[in-house]
Amino acid sequence: MTLFLFLFVLAAGAAATGYVYWLGRRVVPVDHVGIVRCVWGRPHPDATFRNVVPDTARGVLAATLPAQRPTWLMPWLYTVEPVPRIYVPEGMVGLVVALEGQKRPRDRQVALPPVEDCDHFQDGAKFLRGRGEEGPQAVTLPGGSSYAINTALFTVRTVPRTYVPDGTVGLVKAKVGKVREAGQPFARHVPCEDFQDGATFLRGGGEQGRQLAVLAGGTFYDINPEIFEVLTTENLGAGREGLVAEQLALTSIPVGHTGVVITRDGDEPDENEKVGPRVGGHRNFRLAWEFIDRGGRRGVQQETLKEGSEYALNPWFVQVLLVPTFLLNMEWNKKDSAKQGNYDARLHELDLETSQGIRLRVEVSQSLRIPSAAAPRLVSEFGSSPDAGRLAGGALTDDPQPVQRFVERVLGATVENYFVEITADSTVKEFLSGILDIRTNLSSQVRNALKAWGVEAVRTNIERVRSLDQVYYDERQRIFSEDTRGDLLARQMEHADAEQAIEFTRMETEKKRLILQIEAEAELLGADHVRLSRMIQDMSKLPVPNYIGGDLSGYLESMPMNLVRNLLEQLRTAEKPPETVAEAPPVAQVVASEDEPDLWDEPPGPHGGDGGTREDT
């Protein structure tokens, strides 16, 4: 009986134990986490932990039960509530809010992470023991993962990752942090992995307000929007924080221009310092905090941005003015409304008056080139209005005013003063006749005036001179007529010299031809025959009356005395017999042409003789 009772009690105890074990066995389903509550017991001695406790005490335990791992808890003392795991989708970021923890300082709106690593808030006990603070947490949960988080201690909401479009920059404004000093336009720079590590930003003394660093385009960032506000082209809308969407583009310097940089922060420039000195280490103003830390001055900078390059610049920190470096042609002429944006928009025709009181209107042109090194001084001296120009993308402003003012006040004044002095001491004739010297002297004066500003003068030209008085045109016509007459006489002299040279050449050629012809006839027929033939030809060309009576003497009397003398001389020469003559060749009969009369029916013999005469038919 006693044994039976013992066995019964043992069986009943085993059954009760099994029942109690069954009641206390807990298995959390897949993709869930078990939240444990202690129903009975004393509260936690630290009043900070009101509902969730880091250790065994009455309330919700910070530690959770993992999924699919059997755990036994005393029934009626603990309850377990399975809740789904927290999943942060890809392309999102999880923002965590601690429902309990240490109180934050009054000047900090976001909680810093605990001293101990709490494994992305999955170890609530370490969070509480490490003096984790209640409220929004600086640390975020990366996307594409699930987390076993105690939802009684933490709440999690998801927001999209911050994306900065390609070809643009993102500007950051801190919502929390220390308060900046009065008059300080930008917060002190704190490296924090492109603002993805909010805890490091806060621990490093990060300040509220506009940040100097920018976010590169074409990238996603895990940025906590509780700490930072990021301005991009997608959320800027019609404009905010003094910016429009175009200003978030990359700053691209077009070819043929240089970018003059104006910084809005830095050391105070000296009283006579027009242009800030070069400062190294800031990578063309990309690292704005390096520029400030190395003693960079506020205002116009000597260092310029080169053409054909792109820069990720902070438009809050810098403004870049475009200054042309290509060849510029300035014209003094009438301007219409379409040319008001040109660099020579303030140059107009020059109205002058000569010493005679004649009014002239002169149009001039001047080519020049502004080197990159000279551009900062021009911007500093001639300035730019805050609302002038147009946005050219990024931190660029295309404002023609600095160059327009330089052209008007330096180049324009030099040209106008020179012409006023020249025309006041000149007559119209002196002005017109000395126009080449005037242009040369003007070019020299312009070159010297531009050189003082580091600008290169290329070409100076007087395009047009007109008058408001008719006497000017009369004087100009007279000068033109005199110049034209001189040119005409000079050309006639040249032609006369050429004709004379041609005539001399022709006469020399004819002379050589006749000599060759006579030599050929003399060789073939004999010298006497040639002389006699030439005499007869000359006589046949002489003018004689239609009728001559008598003998040869009457004919000779009708000829001029010099011709008669020459013919007689030729006859005497022809009568001298040669030293050795074998036989005289027969002489051909001369036949007169139809236009000229026949002088003889037969030629005279070698010793002369009377020739007969006849009446011309």
Side-chain angles (χ1 to χ4, degrees), residues 16-28 36 65 69-80:
T17 301
Y19 179 70
V20 171
Y21 175 78
W22 178 80
L23 289 177
R25 186 176 184 272
R26 300 288 190 270
V27 178
V28 179
V36 181
L65 298 181
R69 184 182 297 175
T71 304
W72 188 86
L73 297 173
M74 180 63 70
W76 304 288
L77 182 60
Y78 297 98
T79 63
V80 177

Side-chain angles (χ1 to χ4, degrees), residues 205-239:
E207 299 174 341
Q208 301 178 32
R210 297 176 178 179
Q211 305 296 308
L212 289 169
V214 300
L215 300 177
T219 308
F220 286 91
Y221 299 90
D222 291 340
I223 293 178
N224 191 335
E226 296 291 339
I227 304 176
F228 303 107
E229 178 186 11
V230 180
L231 302 179
T232 68
T233 55
E234 295 181 340
N235 62 23
L236 200 58

Side-chain angles (χ1 to χ4, degrees), residues 169 302 311 331 351 365-366 413 424 528 541 552 566 570 592 603 608:
V169 297
Q302 181 62 49
Y311 305 89
E331 298 179 343
D351 288 340
S365 66
Q366 174 66 51
D528 293 342
K541 296 177 182 179
L552 181 59
N566 291 337
Q570 292 180 16

Side-chain angles (χ1 to χ4, degrees), residues 62-216:
T64 59
L65 298 181
Q68 291 186 309
R69 184 182 297 175
T71 304
W72 188 86
L73 297 173
M74 180 63 70
W76 304 288
L77 182 60
Y78 297 98
T79 63
V80 177
E81 178 187 3
V83 295
R85 290 169 63 92
I86 300 297
Y87 176 70
V88 180
E90 195 73 40
M92 306 290 282
V93 63
L95 305 182
V96 181
V97 178
L99 302 178
E100 292 195 16
Q102 302 293 320
K103 296 296 182 181
R104 301 188 313 272
R106 303 179 72 179
D107 61 348
R108 182 156 42 79
Q109 294 80 17
V110 177
L112 291 174
V115 178
E116 295 184 62
D117 181 21
C118 60
D119 190 19
H120 295 296
F121 305 100
Q122 297 180 106
D123 192 339
K126 282 188 176 181
F127 176 83
L128 294 177
R129 291 193 196 100
R131 304 186 62 80
E133 299 173 342
E134 67 176 351
Q137 301 297 302
V139 179
T140 61
L141 300 177
S145 300
S146 62
Y147 302 90
I149 290 179
N150 189 335
T151 56
L153 180 58
F154 303 104
T155 63
V156 179
R157 66 185 179 93
T158 59
V159 295
R161 301 178 72 193
T162 299
Y163 175 70
V164 179
D166 194 18
T168 66
V169 297
L171 301 183
V172 181
K173 186 177 180 182
K175 299 179 179 179
V176 300
K178 294 183 178 181
V179 179
R180 302 191 312 271
E181 295 181 4
Q184 188 68 27
F186 296 98
R188 187 174 64 88
H189 175 70
V190 177
C192 53
E193 296 184 14
D194 290 321
F195 305 100
Q196 298 179 102
D197 190 348
T200 300
F201 175 82
L202 295 175
R203 287 197 180 108
E207 299 174 341
Q208 301 178 32
R210 297 176 178 179
Q211 305 296 308
L212 289 169
V214 300
L215 300 177

Side-chain angles (χ1 to χ4, degrees), residues 596-615:
E596 297 178 352
D598 293 339
L599 300 182
W600 293 281
D601 292 336
E602 293 182 359
H607 299 286
D610 295 335
T613 61
R614 65 180 177 87
E615 182 182 358

Side-chain angles (χ1 to χ4, degrees), residues 465-520:
V465 178
R466 292 181 296 159
S467 176
L468 305 177
D469 301 314
Q470 182 61 36
V471 66
Y472 165 82
Y473 295 101
D474 297 340
E475 179 69 14
R476 190 165 185 176
Q477 182 65 33
R478 186 183 65 80
I479 295 175
F480 174 77
S481 300
E482 293 177 354
D483 293 342
T484 303
R485 176 174 174 78
D487 294 340
L488 179 60
L489 293 176
R491 285 195 296 270
Q492 289 177 348
M493 289 294 296
E494 293 176 359
H495 293 166
D497 293 341
E499 291 177 355
Q500 184 177 10
I502 293 172
E503 184 64 24
F504 286 160
T505 303
R506 184 183 295 112
M507 292 172 62
E508 188 67 24
T509 302
E510 182 65 17
K511 177 181 177 181
K512 293 179 179 180
R513 187 187 67 78
L514 292 175
I515 292 174
L516 293 176
Q517 180 180 356
I518 293 173
E519 290 178 350

Side-chain angles (χ1 to χ4, degrees), residues 233-554:
T233 55
E234 295 181 340
N235 62 23
L236 200 58
R240 259 188 318 140
E241 296 291 336
L243 298 173
V244 294
E246 290 83 353
Q247 292 176 271
L248 298 185
L250 293 177
T251 301
S252 179
I253 309 300
V255 176
H257 293 77
T258 189
V260 177
V261 179
I262 304 173
T263 59
R264 297 188 174 99
D265 196 8
D267 291 345
E268 188 72 21
D270 296 337
E271 182 178 357
N272 297 324
E273 191 175 44
K274 298 296 185 181
V275 178
R278 292 179 179 270
V279 177
H282 54 79
R283 294 183 57 206
N284 297 111
F285 305 95
R286 294 183 181 96
L287 309 180
W289 57 94
E290 291 289 347
F291 173 84
I292 295 174
D293 293 343
R294 293 170 184 261
R297 305 287 202 275
R298 184 174 63 251
V300 180
Q301 303 301 310
Q302 181 62 49
E303 181 177 350
T304 61
L305 303 181
K306 296 182 179 180
E307 63 179 2
S309 302
E310 285 189 333
Y311 305 89
L313 300 180
N314 188 332
W316 278 333
F317 174 68
V318 298
Q319 179 187 11
V320 181
L321 287 181
L322 283 178
V323 176
T325 56
F326 57 86
L327 187 65
L328 297 174
N329 189 47
M330 305 299 166
E331 298 179 343
W332 282 254
N333 54 22
K334 187 176 181 180
K335 301 293 192 304
D336 54 25
S337 59
K339 297 181 180 180
Q340 294 306 310
N342 293 355
Y343 296 110
D344 60 354
R346 302 180 182 182
L347 299 180
H348 300 282
E349 300 164 316
L350 299 174
D351 288 340
L352 309 170
E353 186 172 337
T354 67
S355 61
Q356 301 165 308
I358 299 175
R359 296 169 300 165
L360 301 180
R361 180 165 289 173
V362 180
E363 296 182 9
V364 186
S365 66
Q366 174 66 51
S367 299
L368 57 89
R369 182 179 288 108
I370 304 174
S372 298
R377 185 185 173 195
L378 263 62
V379 172
S380 176
E381 293 286 350
F382 297 99
S384 174
S385 302
D387 56 348
R390 64 176 183 85
L391 296 177
L396 280 181
T397 300
D398 187 6
D399 183 7
Q401 286 200 47
V403 177
Q404 284 181 345
R405 291 169 181 165
F406 167 76
V407 169
E408 176 191 16
R409 300 173 188 178
V410 176
L411 176 61
T414 300
V415 172
E416 184 173 2
N417 292 338
Y418 174 77
F419 272 108
V420 169
E421 294 177 0
I422 288 296
T423 54
D425 296 334
S426 302
T427 64
V428 172
K429 181 178 180 180
E430 291 172 344
F431 183 84
L432 294 177
S433 60
I435 197 72
L436 295 179
D437 293 336
I438 291 174
R439 189 191 68 82
T440 302
N441 295 334
L442 174 63
S443 176
S444 177
Q445 290 204 17
V446 168
R447 186 181 302 107
N448 293 335
L450 297 185
K451 185 178 180 181
W453 292 86
V455 177
E456 177 187 356
V458 179
R459 182 182 61 85
T460 306
N461 194 27
I462 299 175
E463 299 290 344
R464 188 179 182 185
V465 178
R466 292 181 296 159
S467 176
L468 305 177
D469 301 314
Q470 182 61 36
V471 66
Y472 165 82
Y473 295 101
D474 297 340
E475 179 69 14
R476 190 165 185 176
Q477 182 65 33
R478 186 183 65 80
I479 295 175
F480 174 77
S481 300
E482 293 177 354
D483 293 342
T484 303
R485 176 174 174 78
D487 294 340
L488 179 60
L489 293 176
R491 285 195 296 270
Q492 289 177 348
M493 289 294 296
E494 293 176 359
H495 293 166
D497 293 341
E499 291 177 355
Q500 184 177 10
I502 293 172
E503 184 64 24
F504 286 160
T505 303
R506 184 183 295 112
M507 292 172 62
E508 188 67 24
T509 302
E510 182 65 17
K511 177 181 177 181
K512 293 179 179 180
R513 187 187 67 78
L514 292 175
I515 292 174
L516 293 176
Q517 180 180 356
I518 293 173
E519 290 178 350
E521 292 181 3
E523 183 178 355
L524 179 62
L525 303 175
D528 293 342
H529 177 75
V530 171
R531 283 194 294 268
L532 185 59
S533 297
R534 290 293 182 270
M535 182 184 68
I536 295 173
Q537 291 176 4
D538 291 341
M539 293 176 63
S540 64
K541 296 177 182 179
L542 296 176
V544 295
N546 290 335
Y547 173 80
I548 298 176
D551 54 6
L552 181 59
S553 61

